[in-house]
Structure formats: structure tokens, C-alpha cells
Amino acid sequence: MTGTTQDDYTDRYARRVRGMTTSEIRALFSVASRPEVVSLAGGSPYIQALPLDAVGEMLGRLASEHGASSLQYGIGQGTIELRERICEVMTLSGIHGASPDDVVVTVGGQQALDLLARLFLDPGDVVLAEGPSYVGALGVFQAAQAHVHHVPMDDDGLIPAALEEAIRATERSGRKAKFLYTIPTFQNPAGVTLSEERREQVLDICERAGLLVVEDDPYGMLSFEGDAPLPLRARRRDGVFYVSTFSKTFAPGLRVGWILAPHAVREKLVMMTEANVLCPSAFAQGAIVQYLSTMPWREQIKSYREIYRERRDALLSALDDLMPVGTTWTNPTGGLFVWATIPEGLDSKAMMPRAIAARVAYVPGTGFYADGTGTSNMRLNFSYASPERLREGVRRLAGVMEQELEMRAVFGASATTPHHRRGPAAADVPGPDLA
Ligand code: PMP
């Protein structure tokens, strides 16, 4: 078929991919990556903080001295050396006594979510998730043809009473909720953390309702003020699937994450990995093992924490000084993101082209809801830009918002409200800017 267009394929697509489209936001992001644009949009760690020369030497040795295994196929579950190391890493978060046998190495946390969705979700099943939630997880659930029911949060994270109500509503609708997908610590995108007290309540509610828990914890080690609360998996072994990654504590380019699964299902996950990618990259796994054995990785995490704390402070004080009245935002105690609520009448999605023209980018809140809500929110990242650039970005963003508010005051709501369709949003396939 030469010279075919996309339309020639449309009717042949599997049902599960028909709802996947490239959003207009994605198109704007290609412009947003230009150097003159201050990007508050991405989720990228500040890789320049790594000792790159030393990492380079380590990778060279991995090929020259261990190439026979590091450049070879591996096993589906991941190497035993790495799984043992992962158990050690998890003790830092308070998860003790995990067996390497129950760890499945994945291609980033993203593949972990995909495997769990394939394992548990049939078309039409319901996933309960915080509202807002991680865009990459929403894409996975959408591809599994599941329905996401968002549960609201406040400054202490997921609201237990709202979770109970969501479970009841799902039962009333005759659907089956398979699991709660939650990012309890330094949530992406909201930046909030589930309180100690609520952790127990949420676990009790899920246990009573027979609901599994998928706990996604990429940011737990990036705390700015003491240690983060214990993960849910450290409190309950059964029914909790713990997902994490080396993307934010070391480097996302290696694409190494993991699932700590209840023993009974570990084998199924391994078979699914084999069907999916045969095995995770032996070279990337070897790199992580070498990194954890020969380099000061705990100090590196400390240095990420310090850099991000300084940047969070810079972003928060710029918001305080510069944002128009009526704007509010969360106060993250770790992680990479602030979630802002903009003054009534402004639409973060509609405003995006004007922000890009003013050389600043953010992610509109709509990307983080499966149902098209979120127009009065935006996610602001503080891990990547320097404190000075963060302030400049906020200055530009505040200018755009002030202008929009003035236009509304002079010309009325139609001046800034687009006539875009409300309703279920097209699932956005995650990319670097949305991570
Ligand atoms: N979960 C959450 C909450 C994330 O924010 C991310 C990436 N930003 C991931 C999973 C996936 O990360 P990775 O695949 O790089 O491990």
C-alpha cells in the first residue's frame, strides 16, 4: 500500500487504540522545547546534577569487563543481582523483608503500570484513581478500555469518605472496580501527600471492599522535610502492588523500574513481561547494579533533594510575589510538581497558545483527568529549570494571566473562553513533556 493515508488504516485499528489521539497540547509542546521558552511543563529530573564523567566510565567498564552478560539476553523477571539491590533500596523507604523473588524488573514504572493493567483489567472495568492523576497511567487504563473514576483530594491527599462514595457509586452502576491506583507520596501532578492517618483509613476501606491497591511511588525518596510517611506496602503485604523506578533517583534514560508483587501473582507478571519485551535490558540493569555498588547513590539522592528543595522554594516565592489575586497552589514537601488553581473564568487549556507566545509552558490540568475537567488548573514543574528561570517563567505566566483577566473585564467572557468541546478527553499518550 504505497501513498496510503492514516484514514486507510483507521477501520483496521483494534478497538482499544481508537480513542488514542495526539492532543493539541502535544503539538504545542514541540514549540515549548525551544530554548527561549521557560518550560514548567516537563517532569524531567535535573540530570546535570549527576557526575556524568564517572557514570560514563562506569558504563564503559560495564561493556568491556562484563559485556558477556550485560550485552546478552537476560531473564524475564530481571537479574537476581538487581532484584536483591532493589530490596535494599526499598528498605530506605521503610519496606523491610521483601524477597527478591517477589520483585519483577520492568522497563520504567510505566511498563509496570501497563503490566498490572493487562493483568487485571477487562474492557469496561473501573479503576479508582486520585483526581487529578498521572497522565501516563490514564493512558494505560484507557488503552485497557477501562473506565477511570476520579476520587477527589485535599491538602492531605485522597479523601477517605470520597473513596467510600466512589466504591458505592461503582457498585450502583453495576460495574466492577478492580483496583485503586494511587500515588500517595508527593503526588504527580498535585504535589500533595496522603497523611499518616489517612493511609490506614484508605487501606482499611480497600480491604473491606475487596479492592486491590496499586501504589505508585516514584517520588517517595525525594522528600524535602524529613522522611516521607511509610508507603502503603510497608503497612500491608497483601493486596498491595508496589511500583517504583530509578527514573527520579538516578536517571530515566536507563528505563528501569520494578513491581513488588504479592508472591501469588509474581509468576503471571513474569510471563507477561516475556510476552511483552522478552526481558528488560540486561545492560540497563547492569548499569543500575554497578551504580548502586560503586557510586555514592545515597548522596546523589540527597543532592537531588537539595536542588529540588531550593527550586521549589524559588517557584513558591515567585508564585507568591507575582501571581494574580485568586490564584492558589499546593505546597509540596517533596517531588517535582506544584498544582495551581487559576482565577475563575480563566481556562488553562485555552490560554496555552498565548503562554507559549509569551515563552512559557505548563501542562493544563485537563491532561490529568480522564473526563475533560481540569480547565482551571495547571501543573508546574520545578525540577528542571534553575531558580532564576523559574522566576522568569512565573513572571511571564502571570503576565499572560493578567492580560486574560483584563480582556475578560473589558470584553466579557467570550473574549477568552473558547468554544471547545467539553466531555471525555481524548487520552493523551504520555511523552517526555507529560512525564
Ligand atoms: N508514575 C508516575 C506517578 C510518574 O510520574 C512517572 C513518570 N513521571 C511514572 C510512573 C513512570 O516513570 P518511568 O517509566 O520513567 O519509571
Side-chain angles (χ1 to χ4, degrees), residues 108-110 113 134 181 183 188 216 218-219 245 247-248 255 435:
Q110 189 66 28
L113 300 178
Y134 167 50
Y181 167 71
I183 309 153
N188 179 6
D216 192 1
Y219 305 107
T245 176
S247 287
K248 311 293 157 122
R255 314 300 306 124

